[in-house]
Amino acid sequence: MTDRDYAPLSVACVRALIDKQYDKRKAAASEIEKMVKEFVAVKNTTQIRKILKVLGLEFTMSQNPHYKKGGLMGLASVAIALGKDSSDYTEALIRPILTNFSDTDQRTRYFACEALYNVVKVARGAVLPYFGDIFTSLSKLAAENDHNVKTASEHLDRLMKDIVTENATFDLVNFMPLLRERLYSTNPFARQYIISWVSVLDAVPDIHLILFLPEILDGLFLMLSDSDVNNMCESVLSEFLRSINRDPSQVDFTKMINVLIAHSQTADETIQITALTWINDFIRLSGKKMLMYTSGILTAILPCLAFEGESKRNIRDTAKSVNSSLMILITPDLDELDDSQQSENLDLNSVLEVLQKQLVHTSVNTKVAALKWVYHLHVRIPKRVLTRVDSVFPALLHVLSDPSNEVVQHVLNVIAQIISPENQDSELNDENTEPKIASPYFDKFLISLLKLFRDDRQLLEDRGSFIIRKLCALMSAENIYKRTSDILRIEEDVKFAHVMVDTLNTILLTSSELFHLRNQLKNRENESLFKCLYETWCHNPVATIALCLLTQNYAHVCDLINLLQNCEVTVEFLAEVDRLVQLIESPIFIYLRLELVQVPYNFFLIQAMYGLLMLLPQSEAFHMLRHRLECIPKLHFFYHSGQNTNNIDTLKENAAKNGNNYNIDFNDLVRHFKTLQDRHKQRKITDRNEALSLKTKLIENY
């Protein structure tokens, strides 16, 4: 070793600097400090740079750990000697030290932290251009196992935070990519380190970290799932949200909402509730700027409404709040936007697509919420919704088979809203309200509904009555019955028509929702309504009789009963007659039972009742009707007939005055009745022939 090898350091100084004993290295470092101070005094920068080069290259870059430690102590001494002038040599001081932060020897790492601490302490703000490198090195040491190294790095970290806090020239723009990258570290200690820096930077008044929040929000939310840093991260995010609420004007909500939407769909409850809380505040603070993201928000919140139990109550309640806040943003003015404006506001196509997907969710609450959205959209922006009804209707029809009455009720609300006449109010079934012309979708829906019932008889049996009753409550029962009758009149599947008429007739005779329609049918001025129903009701003979009993056309009932002698009497037919007799005993037909005592004008009514009695076998219904007829005052009848029991023609002539309620051509109706019954006879013959043919083929194949 020669003086020239490490000049201007002497051989003795070098030997002491690389000695194993700390005290000797410390003495050598003191000598270097004294030497540098002398160079500073005479402004000999050349010699200073030579010392830095020797220490940086020959010592800290050496493979010998003693050289490294000596070099690090020497660099620290140079910095101390330079004092305020160290800013002119920061790169030569910092770079060699940082290379030893990742050294395999823990003592070397410790001395590197200590050396850099001394450099930073004197250089202060001059080290900020190298902040990124220092930050990265310290973030790696955050996971350090050695206690001494960890303590030294923490001291250095606190000093760096003090310098950044007091320095207004901190380059946040260049630092953000580095911070964003480090946020995705999986090590809990590294995460603590990163979050501590975010907290410090956010607390500095001159550093507007909130402007860069979109860049780091995703990483912060991911850290919420780490139990080691959860509390720290929650605190930082809460402070950010408070800042946003204090001054929303400095926040770009649109750059962060998609991050929140993504995290609000995670399985982690802490992340989910936090994201939903942020979304709720974003909607409240930014208003219609959030309309563009409606589909994404709905994708996130609607499934949350399915959560049950106390454990997820907060998530469910927050999702409800978000849902309500979002609904408020849908205003009628959105209906008048042109195509370009619509794309910048509410993307209705994507919203409806999301809602349709949610309609097949397993949760009743989620499906109901989706249906309420469709209803709300149609109320607020009907023009835009109506242009897309064709894509929505199949999904709505599918929901009609949902096992939940609540869901079916809501889908009927939506359908009624869409297909009802414009501005039709909820008082449509009031006696003073005239039926209005339905929308173009009215016919389309009824045709689709009947097809649904035709294809799924179980649905008709289980939910048919409920669906039709609720529709009649929501809309004009007269319109529904008239148009349904028109559709069924040309129905090719006469067996289905028979079943459907039976369902409609039962609803008509028993449901409170049909009270007004029953009163209409009793009115002589509504003959057209009666004829419309009658022409379809003829698919079902018993239903036709019931309709004529309801409308008090008793003479025609007698004619129909006489025609039934030509019909095939099946078990199904007798069951229908049985149900009709039971209905006659219900409150709906109380007026009919009272008319039985209005002699002699009840002639055709009594004849009709006895005709029904004769159709029945001696069942419970038979005895029920027989006992009812036994209550008729027969002696009173003969007294008012002029006590001329032989003059039957006169009796019939007097009774005929009230034989039928309507003054129409009942002969024409009889012909129509016969025509439809002939179709049913032919259908039965065809069915039997096909069944016989199939049986024959099976036998032959066997």
Side-chain angles (χ1 to χ4, degrees), residues 158-177:
R158 283 194 291 271
L159 179 58
M160 289 301 300
K161 287 172 180 172
D162 290 340
I163 292 172
V164 169
T165 301
E166 69 189 22
N167 202 303
T169 61
F170 178 68
D171 190 355
L172 189 60
V173 174
N174 287 329
F175 174 58
M176 288 313 300

Side-chain angles (χ1 to χ4, degrees), residues 277-488:
T277 301
W278 277 60
I279 292 174
N280 202 26
D281 282 10
F282 274 31
I283 294 173
R284 178 175 53 82
L285 294 170
S286 66
K288 291 192 175 181
K289 290 181 181 178
M290 292 295 102
L291 280 174
M292 293 176 60
Y293 307 95
T294 300
S295 59
I297 296 173
L298 289 176
T299 300
I301 64 173
L302 292 181
C304 294
L305 302 179
F307 294 157
E308 298 179 353
E310 287 298 316
S311 62
K312 292 191 175 183
R313 180 179 179 181
N314 287 340
I315 296 176
R316 182 178 65 250
D317 290 347
T318 306
K320 286 181 181 178
S321 180
V322 173
N323 191 51
S324 299
S325 299
L326 196 59
M327 274 189 165
I328 295 173
L329 300 182
I330 310 297
T331 53
D333 59 286
L334 297 173
D335 218 19
E336 306 302 326
L337 300 179
D338 57 36
D339 292 340
S340 61
Q341 292 172 320
Q342 289 177 10
S343 62
E344 296 172 359
N345 286 274
L346 180 69
D347 184 353
L348 188 57
N349 287 333
S350 62
V351 170
L352 291 175
E353 183 178 343
V354 169
L355 294 176
Q356 289 178 60
K357 289 180 180 178
Q358 297 302 324
L359 289 178
V360 297
H361 198 278
T362 56
S363 166
V364 170
N365 291 335
T366 297
K367 287 183 279 195
V368 168
L371 291 167
K372 285 183 176 179
W373 259 101
V374 179
Y375 184 92
H376 183 72
L377 289 169
H378 187 271
V379 170
R380 293 298 183 94
I381 49 174
K383 292 180 182 177
R384 292 180 62 184
V385 172
L386 283 174
T387 61
R388 297 163 175 84
V389 164
D390 289 336
S391 65
V392 179
F393 247 97
L396 295 176
L397 287 169
H398 178 76
V399 181
L400 285 174
S401 58
D402 193 272
S404 166
N405 281 346
E406 184 181 3
V407 172
V408 175
Q409 174 68 68
H410 279 282
V411 77
L412 292 174
N413 290 344
V414 174
I415 290 171
Q417 173 65 25
I418 293 174
I419 70 176
S420 293
E422 191 175 3
N423 300 321
Q424 181 170 311
D425 57 36
S426 60
E427 302 298 325
L428 185 61
N429 287 335
D430 184 81
E431 291 195 22
N432 297 322
T433 306
E434 292 295 329
K436 301 181 181 181
I437 299 173
S439 75
Y441 295 96
F442 184 81
D443 278 8
K444 180 179 291 188
F445 166 69
L446 288 180
I447 292 171
S448 300
L449 179 62
L450 291 177
K451 182 180 184 303
L452 192 63
F453 286 152
R454 185 190 309 111
D455 297 340
D456 188 351
R457 297 297 175 86
Q458 193 62 45
L459 174 64
L460 174 59
E461 182 178 336
D462 295 342
R463 311 303 289 278
S465 177
F466 177 81
I467 291 171
I468 295 169
R469 285 192 295 106
K470 295 305 178 184
L471 280 174
C472 290
L474 293 166
M475 302 172 61
S476 164
E478 179 180 345
N479 281 344
I480 291 173
Y481 264 70
K482 271 187 172 181
R483 190 62 193 107
T484 304
S485 297
D486 291 338
I487 298 168
L488 288 174

Side-chain angles (χ1 to χ4, degrees), residues 208-243:
H208 302 290
L209 185 60
I210 197 170
L211 298 176
F212 298 89
L213 185 56
E215 297 187 43
I216 62 174
L217 189 63
D218 180 59
L220 289 173
F221 264 90
L222 286 174
M223 288 189 183
L224 280 173
S225 62
D226 189 338
S227 58
D228 294 311
V229 297
N230 177 276
N231 291 335
M232 288 179 64
C233 196
E234 273 194 285
S235 178
V236 169
L237 285 170
S238 296
E239 185 54 43
F240 274 127
L241 191 57
R242 280 192 290 271
S243 299

